[in-house]
C-alpha cells in the first residue's frame, strides 16, 4: 500500500513539473523552411516571424509569450513561430549574446532569472513603428513590466519540450524570460498577464519580432 502511495505521489510531482514548463500540445507543427531568422551583429539584433495564436488570445492570463509551433506550451502562447528555441539561442550568440544559464540548473518558484538584457519589439501590417512587447500585455495596473534577459536554458528547453522562446516571468525553460517577475508568478496567480486584444492584431496575423541585445 505504501509503495503504491509513493508511486502516486511521484507521478503527481512529475505532472506538476511538466505543467510549469507547459504541457499542452499544439496541433500545428513548426515548418523549419519558413523559419527565416535575420541577424545584424552591428546592431545586436535577431529578427524572425511569428503568428498571433487564437487560443493564446483567449487566455485570461499566460506566462507564455512566444513558443515554437508543436511545442508543449504552444496552445498557451500569445504567439507561435516556426523558429526553434535552439536556432534563436544560436542567433543571439552570433550577434554577441551571452546566455546566463548554460547548464540544466532550474530556478524555483519565486526565484529570478539573470543575464544580458534584451529589448523586444514587434511590427505588423498596420503597425509599422516598432512597439514594445509590454504594450501588448495587460497586467493588474496597466501594462506588464518588462526586464527581458537572455536566460539561456537551452538544455532545460530541450529536455522539457515546451518550445518556449520567450516567457513573461522568470523561467528555467525559456530562451528569454522576464526578470521583472519571479518564476511561476503568472501561472501561480500572483501577477496578471493578459493578452491585450485592443492592441494586438487578430488571430492568424503574422508579426515580425526583433530581439535587440542591450550592450
Amino acid at each position: 500500500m505504501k509503495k503504491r502511495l509513493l508511486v502516486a505521489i511521484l507521478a503527481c510531482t512529475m505532472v506538476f513539473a511538466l505543467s510549469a514548463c507547459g504541457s499542452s500540445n499544439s496541433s500545428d507543427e513548426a515548418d523549419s523552411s519558413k523559419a527565416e531568422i535575420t541577424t545584424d551583429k552591428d546592431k545586436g539584433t535577431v529578427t524572425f516571424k511569428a503568428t498571433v495564436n487564437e487560443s493564446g488570445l483567449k487566455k485570461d492570463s499566460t506566462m507564455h509569450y512566444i513558443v515554437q509551433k508543436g511545442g508543449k506550451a504552444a496552445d498557451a502562447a500569445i504567439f507561435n513561430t516556426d523558429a526553434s528555441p535552439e536556432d534563436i539561442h544560436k542567433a543571439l550568440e552570433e550577434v554577441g549574446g551571452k546566455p546566463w544559464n548554460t547548464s540544466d540548473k532550474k530556478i524555483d518558484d519565486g526565484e529570478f532569472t539573470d543575464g544580458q538584457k534584451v529589448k523586444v519589439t514587434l511590427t505588423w501590417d498596420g503597425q509599422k513603428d516598432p512597439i514594445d512587447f509590454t504594450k501588448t500585455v495587460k497586467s493588474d495596473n496597466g501594462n506588464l513590466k518588462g526586464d527581458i534577459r537572455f536566460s539561456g536554458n537551452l538544455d532545460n528547453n530541450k529536455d522539457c519540450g515546451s518550445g518556449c522562446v520567450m516567457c513573461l516571468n522568470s523561467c528555467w525553460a525559456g530562451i528569454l524570460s522576464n526578470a521583472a517577475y519571479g518564476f511561476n508568478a503568472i501561472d501561480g496567480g500572483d501577477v496578471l498577464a493578459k493578452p491585450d486584444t485592443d492592441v494586438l492584431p487578430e488571430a492568424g496575423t503574422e508579426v515580425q519580432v526583433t530581439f535587440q541585445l542591450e550592450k
Side-chain angles (χ1 to χ4, degrees):
M1 184 68 178
K2 288 183 178 179
K3 185 176 181 181
R4 290 181 180 177
L5 180 60
L6 178 59
V7 171
I9 291 172
L10 289 172
C12 289
T13 302
M14 290 179 67
V15 169
F16 177 79
L18 284 172
S19 65
C21 188
S23 58
S24 58
N25 283 297
S26 171
S27 58
D28 293 329
E29 294 297 324
D31 184 348
S32 59
S33 66
K34 296 181 180 178
E36 299 177 7
I37 301 175
T38 303
T39 59
D40 188 323
K41 192 169 184 178
D42 291 335
K43 294 181 179 179
T45 59
V46 173
T47 302
F48 60 98
K49 294 177 181 178
T51 304
V52 181
N53 179 31
E54 183 174 7
S55 61
L57 284 184
K58 297 177 181 177
K59 292 289 183 181
D60 290 328
S61 190
T62 180
M63 66 172 278
H64 302 289
Y65 195 64
I66 305 172
V67 174
Q68 185 185 24
K69 294 176 183 177
K72 291 180 179 178
D75 286 345
I78 297 175
F79 296 100
N80 291 156
T81 181
D82 286 299
S84 72
E86 185 173 5
D87 286 343
I88 295 294
H89 188 285
K90 181 179 179 181
L92 285 166
E93 287 185 304
E94 287 177 353
V95 298
K98 297 180 179 179
W100 174 58
N101 182 21
T102 57
S103 70
D104 60 357
K105 179 182 178 181
K106 296 179 176 64
I107 57 175
D108 294 324
D109 286 4
E111 291 187 335
F112 293 83
T113 190
D114 204 343
Q116 195 167 2
K117 291 193 174 189
V118 182
K119 182 178 181 180
V120 180
T121 57
L122 305 96
T123 59
W124 58 83
D125 187 21
Q127 180 63 52
K128 293 183 179 180
D129 294 328
I131 183 172
D132 192 86
F133 85 96
T134 57
K135 303 299 182 183
T136 67
V137 186
K138 295 179 182 178
S139 192
D140 302 279
N141 299 301
N143 293 117
L144 194 75
K145 296 177 182 178
D147 184 8
I148 300 301
R149 306 298 183 96
F150 185 11
S151 301
N153 297 324
L154 189 57
D155 289 344
N156 291 334
N157 191 292
K158 291 178 180 178
D159 286 344
C160 77
S162 66
C164 292
V165 172
M166 176 177 158
C167 303
L168 294 175
N169 55 213
S170 295
C171 188
W172 51 260
I175 303 303
L176 271 62
S177 65
N178 190 1
Y181 306 101
F183 176 60
N184 207 34
I186 295 171
D187 282 1
D190 295 330
V191 176
L192 175 72
K194 182 178 177 63
D196 192 341
T197 54
D198 291 332
V199 175
L200 289 163
E202 64 182 16
T205 301
E206 187 175 81
V207 304
Q208 182 168 278
V209 182
T210 298
F211 295 158
Q212 183 170 25
L213 298 172
E214 295 188 16
K215 300 179 180 179

